[in-house]
Amino acid sequence: MLFGSILSLLFLASYGSSSILPIRRSSTCTVASSNGTSDDSPAFFIASKACAKDATIVFSEGVDYNIFTPINATLSNVDIRILGNLHLPQNITQVQLLVNTTATTWITVMGTEVSWTGTTNVSNGWIYSYGQQWWDANPANGTGIVSRPHLLQFNVSTGTITNFKSSKPIGWNVAILGNNIHVTNSFIEATTTGGFPFNTDGFDIAATNVLIEDSVILNGDDAFAVTSGSENVTISRALIGGPGCHGTSIGSLGQNQGLFATVSNVLFTDITAVGAVYGARFKSWVGGQGLAKNITWNNYSVHNVTFPIYVTQNYIK
């Protein structure tokens, strides 16, 4: 009930944020649903081709969609409205086969002036990944079974993500790439009733000019990880925790010793960590090269956090 109340408050709150995207959109494509009888990914491909520019793509309010194969789209000035619920396959072997043969990321969005817009309705706008069975299948002393997909890659120039909701992700949730991206009102729920939710990162960021506000992330890895190539990143007003949350991280940096890793001008502010393993965290590899500068953790509250501040200079996964 506590987390349900937090979710309701989060999406009912108004923060007065203004969109950074233009509003000229001349057409609308509604993704057709099979009503649970088959894969709806082809219907998204049809909609994304017909409405690839100056348009709106809509997953209809209250409708369930089977995203049983990976989807991708390259768009220009398009708003993707997630008003229904998206469901990944529940067959582990099927997903592993597709990851090995088709794509390692289930949903890939690229382009310019693109928005991913969920809904304030707490019953809709979810991505259901059915990760619990993956976590339960992890062998003893394992760190997650093989061929797990990343959920969403958002690689755009000028974009927004609003009211993103993820339930029981298999692994990594959102990878932010590109530049000039604003994320508001996200809820990621990777709490477990059995096996540990390895690698359920909230947001992995390798981008410039990023603002992420008003997040609730309950997971088993980094809530936020700001990695090489990131510059001018602000993460504000977040509640993080869960079964093994690794907090707000810089890195890891320097794994590829042939590249010079850079991260600069990063601010974590107004963060509350509850029941996490780490709070503020920095991780780099032995032998790595690079520079991290102007990194700030500000107004940071911790409650029942094992390591409120943790610096690792010999990081090994």
Side-chain angles (χ1 to χ4, degrees):
M1 290 301 293
L2 172 61
F3 294 138
S5 299
I6 292 171
L7 177 60
S8 298
L9 289 171
L10 176 67
F11 290 108
L12 289 174
S14 173
Y15 298 102
S17 299
S18 60
S19 174
I20 60 175
L21 299 181
I23 60 173
R24 62 185 194 283
R25 295 190 174 108
S26 57
S27 58
T28 299
C29 294
T30 300
V31 181
S33 170
S34 65
N35 297 314
T37 61
S38 61
D39 183 12
D40 296 317
S41 296
F44 173 78
F45 280 114
I46 293 171
S48 67
K49 294 299 183 183
C51 284
K53 184 176 182 181
D54 300 334
T56 301
I57 299 170
V58 180
F59 289 89
S60 297
E61 179 88 25
V63 175
D64 290 308
Y65 291 88
N66 293 331
I67 308 301
F68 283 174
T69 49
I71 58 176
N72 64 79
T74 300
L75 308 169
S76 176
N77 186 32
V78 173
D79 182 16
I80 305 172
R81 296 184 182 174
I82 314 296
L83 306 181
N85 295 308
L86 311 185
H87 299 263
L88 270 61
Q90 298 186 48
N91 185 308
I92 291 177
T93 302
Q94 176 188 354
V95 173
Q96 290 175 315
L97 177 63
L98 289 166
V99 167
N100 289 332
T101 60
T102 304
T104 58
T105 298
W106 210 257
I107 303 170
T108 301
V109 177
M110 299 175 289
T112 59
E113 298 178 343
V114 179
S115 58
W116 173 288
T117 306
T119 172
T120 57
N121 184 330
V122 297
S123 298
N124 293 319
W126 287 92
I127 303 177
Y128 292 101
S129 300
Y130 304 98
Q132 185 68 59
Q133 61 182 337
W134 291 74
W135 311 336
D136 292 345
N138 185 52
N141 302 317
T143 56
I145 61 177
V146 299
S147 302
R148 291 168 293 158
H150 295 242
L151 181 57
L152 171 64
Q153 182 185 105
F154 195 73
N155 186 358
V156 306
S157 176
T158 307
T160 64
I161 299 176
T162 307
N163 296 329
F164 174 82
K165 299 195 282 287
S166 172
S167 174
K168 300 291 189 291
I170 295 167
W172 308 262
N173 280 274
V174 183
I176 301 289
L177 297 91
N179 66 88
N180 196 24
I181 297 169
H182 187 192
V183 182
T184 58
N185 295 358
S186 302
F187 190 92
I188 294 172
E189 183 273 309
T191 59
T192 180
T193 57
F196 188 81
F198 283 102
N199 303 125
T200 49
D201 294 30
F203 289 88
D204 293 322
I205 302 150
T208 59
N209 303 321
V210 177
L211 173 61
I212 301 178
E213 301 176 290
D214 307 305
S215 310
V216 175
I217 300 177
L218 313 171
N219 70 336
D221 211 304
D222 299 315
F224 302 95
V226 182
T227 60
S228 184
S230 295
E231 183 178 12
N232 301 331
V233 176
T234 296
I235 296 168
S236 175
R237 298 191 301 271
L239 172 63
I240 63 175
C245 179
H246 287 187
T248 52
S249 298
I250 298 296
S252 64
L253 303 177
Q255 181 176 5
N256 187 336
Q257 297 183 15
L259 297 177
F260 191 86
T262 60
V263 173
S264 62
N265 305 333
V266 178
L267 171 64
F268 301 99
T269 185
D270 299 317
I271 309 295
T272 300
V274 180
V277 178
Y278 306 108
R281 190 183 187 200
F282 180 93
K283 45 187 177 177
S284 62
W285 292 72
V286 171
Q289 304 179 73
L291 175 65
K293 67 177 182 179
N294 195 22
I295 314 297
T296 304
W297 288 266
N298 175 67
N299 196 22
Y300 205 111
S301 300
V302 295
H303 306 271
N304 192 29
V305 173
T306 308
F307 302 103
I309 301 173
Y310 199 83
V311 177
T312 304
Q313 292 183 289
N314 57 346
Y315 182 72
I316 299 175
K317 283 200 172 188

